[in-house]
Amino acid sequence: MTNGHHSDHPAAPGAAPQHTGETYQRFLTDLFGAIAYGELSAFERMSSDARFSPTLHDRATLGRLAVHEYAHFELICARLSAMGADPEEAMRPFQPSVDAFHDRTRPADWYESLMKFYVTDAISDDFYSAVASRLDAETNSLFQGLKATEQPGEILLGRLREALADDPRLASRLALWGRRLVGEALTQAQRVLIERAFLGGLFDDGGQDAVDAEIKSLTAQLTRNHSKRMSLLGLTA
């Protein structure tokens, strides 16, 4: 889980959540599988991109953030195992979509890489935090524990501000890059939500209308939060 400092997470509309039964358990397995693969991917990419850092301090910082992501990956895998699920099996359905997103959004340099971490980690955190508000107490507690640790978003925000102050020409390029990233991320998220019937486990009694309303509300909220984060950089979303 990553930075959620600058977002306000909406309560999901529709029917009350169902915290028992096979449907809810399948939902949790999917949710944790998606998070686990996202954390593993973030760890791999931060570790890889750290070598392009302009300074040793930046390299060490990205390395520390990569370790942070891997620690979350291990915690989520441990929870999956405790549920009786195979973490690899839980992650596998999400591997193609996550990999495809990263293939379509390859950073051109270290600064675009930094922006990608800033944007995508925050969107993921916004999404999972919004969903967490509807989960059982034990699972919600796990999410809150993950958020209580170091917040990469604050670190990335500070470093991006420094970069933009040092080179104002970066602003237009990173603003355009940010718009591309959020568009790709939201498109991919909607595809996963629909194809996996991802939110159905929370709306056993609400039907498709409840799920559609949730997807619409969630997409709007993610877009608003992204705009706020870009404005913190002095950029237009």
Side-chain angles (χ1 to χ4, degrees):
M1 299 296 296
T2 47
N3 53 307
H5 279 299
H6 305 293
S7 58
D8 42 297
H9 307 301
Q18 304 297 311
H19 291 157
T20 59
E22 291 184 9
T23 302
Y24 181 67
Q25 290 305 308
R26 284 197 300 270
F27 165 75
L28 284 185
T29 300
D30 267 356
L31 177 65
F32 287 139
I35 295 172
Y37 192 69
E39 298 286 4
L40 181 60
S41 296
F43 161 74
E44 292 171 340
R45 293 171 199 286
M46 281 186 174
S47 300
S48 175
D49 290 359
R51 69 184 188 275
F52 300 117
S53 301
T55 68
L56 284 175
H57 176 75
D58 287 323
R59 189 172 182 178
T61 298
L62 273 191
R64 188 172 77 253
L65 295 182
V67 171
H68 171 92
E69 301 286 354
Y70 195 80
H72 285 178
F73 164 73
E74 290 187 312
L75 284 171
I76 297 298
C77 285
R79 176 55 65 91
L80 280 165
S81 295
M83 292 167 53
D86 181 334
E88 290 186 19
E89 290 297 322
M91 287 189 286
R92 191 164 290 120
F94 303 99
Q95 184 175 0
S97 59
V98 173
D99 288 353
F101 166 76
H102 287 300
D103 286 342
R104 288 197 303 271
T105 56
R106 294 184 183 275
D109 58 19
W110 187 79
Y111 298 104
E112 287 193 4
S113 178
L114 212 61
M115 176 64 87
K116 183 175 176 180
F117 294 137
Y118 178 68
V119 170
T120 59
D121 282 8
I123 289 174
S124 296
D125 184 68
D126 283 351
F127 172 76
Y128 297 128
S129 293
V131 171
S133 68
R134 300 193 63 88
L135 301 178
D136 61 276
E138 184 182 7
T139 304
N140 200 348
S141 178
L142 172 65
F143 278 85
Q144 298 308 317
L146 293 176
K147 289 177 65 178
T149 58
E150 181 182 40
Q151 297 294 331
E154 296 295 330
I155 297 170
L156 296 170
L157 172 64
R159 189 60 186 87
L160 282 166
R161 279 174 165 169
E162 289 178 15
L164 290 166
D166 292 341
D167 184 2
R169 292 174 299 177
L170 271 177
S172 59
R173 179 159 67 91
L174 290 186
L176 182 62
W177 178 236
R179 288 194 287 274
R180 180 181 170 191
L181 288 169
V182 74
E184 290 280 3
L186 292 177
T187 297
Q188 197 61 52
Q190 289 172 333
R191 184 173 297 126
V192 169
L193 288 170
I194 294 169
E195 289 178 359
R196 295 287 298 177
F198 196 78
L199 296 177
L202 290 183
F203 300 95
D204 282 351
D205 299 326
Q208 190 59 43
D209 287 345
V211 174
D212 291 343
E214 172 65 4
I215 292 175
K216 182 177 180 180
S217 173
L218 202 48
T219 300
Q221 186 64 55
L222 294 177
T223 302
R224 286 193 296 271
N225 288 348
H226 171 72
S227 295
K228 293 176 185 177
R229 280 186 292 268
M230 294 297 279
S231 69
L232 291 173
L233 291 169
L235 303 178
T236 302

